[in-house]
Amino acid sequence: MNTTKPKVHFVDNGLLNPTNPITVNLIGAGGTGSKVLTALVEMNHSLLALGHAGLQVRLWDDDSISEANLGRQRFASSELGLHKSVALINRTNRWSGTRWRAEATKYGLESFAADSTNFSATLTVSCVDSVKARFEIAEILRKIGRISNYNNRPKYWLDFGNGQNTGQVLLSTVGEIAQPKSEQFIPVANLPFVTNEFAALLRRSEIIDDTPSCSVADALQKQDLYINSALAQMGMSLLWSLFRQGMTSHRGFFLNLRDFRAQPIDFG
């Protein structure tokens, strides 16, 4: 009989019983990020209904809305030329009554060096399409983790990444999260960064042609119509389970939408 105890990660108590809304940096407002923002609106409303303090989101993206973004991303023709982050946050705040913020700036080392204000958040959610951007996010989180005050120290990083029909979502901790003693489980305090554990996979799944798309048809050659939506829903379901269950036995998943297969990532 197998008596090995399962490995789980117990969520930091600051996320479960916060005094103030959980600060969230959502990086990227494109195909995945625009849909993750919608899911965060739903999550915030549901958390508030359950007596939780909710979320305070800051959306980062320095890109502007083009014709190629319409349809596949959460934008309308009336928003052409606007900054993606500003358009989405303005719409979100009008619809849901939130006071979330937009940064029409790239979340990267250059911007961080110029002004590190607003870069720190308890939860970082990245929806970027380059390996370089992920490594910069990792470096920023390490730097902030060493200097931030306790209340706004980064604790978790949820990364979304995809190719045309495949993708992955991975949850990481920024350093170690104190774990309770357990007779039933083996608590796991540290979840490695995606840039440490899956660097080779990231490079294989990266969109090689990163030139701007000139049309929706061109964009669909790089990322199929529903890969972003599928990743967003499944990834945010993982985040929701952290709030509702207070623990997780999975760090994320791999998704192949062409074959309709999903493979969870556990703790080994």
Side-chain angles (χ1 to χ4, degrees):
M1 183 176 66
N2 186 3
T3 58
T4 303
K5 294 189 292 185
K7 294 181 180 180
V8 303
H9 174 76
F10 290 95
V11 180
D12 186 272
N13 191 60
L15 269 71
L16 303 179
N17 299 292
T19 302
N20 300 307
I22 300 297
T23 52
V24 180
N25 272 334
L26 174 56
I27 306 169
T32 302
S34 60
K35 296 174 176 64
V36 166
L37 181 65
T38 300
L40 286 171
V41 171
E42 298 167 344
M43 187 177 299
N44 179 64
H45 183 87
S46 300
L47 287 172
L48 291 173
L50 294 169
H52 189 277
L55 308 173
Q56 178 61 39
V57 176
R58 188 177 296 270
L59 177 61
W60 297 75
D61 200 308
D62 63 343
D63 197 12
S64 298
I65 303 165
S66 68
E67 288 280 356
N69 302 140
L70 305 183
R72 193 177 61 83
Q73 301 180 16
R74 294 268 196 262
F75 301 110
S77 57
S78 60
E79 297 171 318
L80 287 171
L82 299 177
H83 280 289
K84 290 181 177 181
S85 56
V86 174
L88 286 173
I89 288 297
N90 284 344
R91 192 194 315 156
T92 295
N93 287 340
R94 288 195 301 269
W95 187 80
S96 62
T98 50
R99 299 181 65 184
W100 293 358
R101 304 290 183 178
E103 294 285 347
T105 305
K106 181 180 179 181
Y107 188 101
L109 288 171
E110 184 176 348
S111 300
F112 179 76
D115 183 5
S116 61
T117 306
N118 301 323
F119 274 75
S120 185
T122 300
L123 173 63
T124 298
V125 181
S126 57
C127 306
V128 296
D129 58 7
S130 76
V131 170
K132 181 177 183 291
R134 285 184 176 83
F135 277 97
E136 290 197 14
I137 291 168
E139 182 61 25
I140 290 171
L141 290 177
R142 290 190 187 97
K143 289 177 181 292
I144 296 174
R146 294 192 291 265
I147 64 177
S148 292
N149 61 57
Y150 180 78
N151 290 331
N152 209 30
R153 182 174 297 161
K155 295 180 179 179
Y156 291 97
W157 176 17
L158 187 65
D159 178 70
F160 291 74
N162 68 280
Q164 184 179 17
N165 300 104
T166 62
Q168 71 284 329
V169 174
L170 191 74
L171 177 70
S172 305
T173 59
V174 184
E176 292 192 353
I177 303 296
Q179 300 287 286
K181 294 181 179 179
S182 175
E183 296 182 357
Q184 185 177 358
F185 303 103
I186 299 175
V188 180
N190 181 62
L191 310 181
F193 279 4
V194 62
T195 49
N196 291 343
E197 192 168 8
F198 294 106
L201 173 66
L202 287 175
R203 291 189 173 93
R204 287 199 303 271
S205 64
E206 184 181 20
I207 299 174
I208 298 174
D209 180 10
D210 60 357
T211 56
S213 300
C214 297
S215 66
V216 174
D218 186 21
L220 291 172
Q221 294 300 314
K222 299 177 181 179
Q223 299 183 51
D224 207 10
L225 184 57
Y226 291 111
I227 182 63
N228 304 109
S229 298
L231 281 172
Q233 291 299 305
M234 293 180 65
M236 296 310 289
S237 180
L238 170 61
L239 182 59
W240 175 245
S241 72
L242 298 185
F243 286 110
R244 294 297 289 144
Q245 299 174 15
M247 58 184 285
T248 180
S249 58
H250 300 297
R251 310 182 44 206
F253 59 88
F254 298 110
L255 177 66
N256 186 325
L257 200 58
R258 181 185 292 110
D259 298 333
F260 301 103
R261 289 185 291 112
Q263 175 64 47
I265 304 172
D266 57 24
F267 299 110

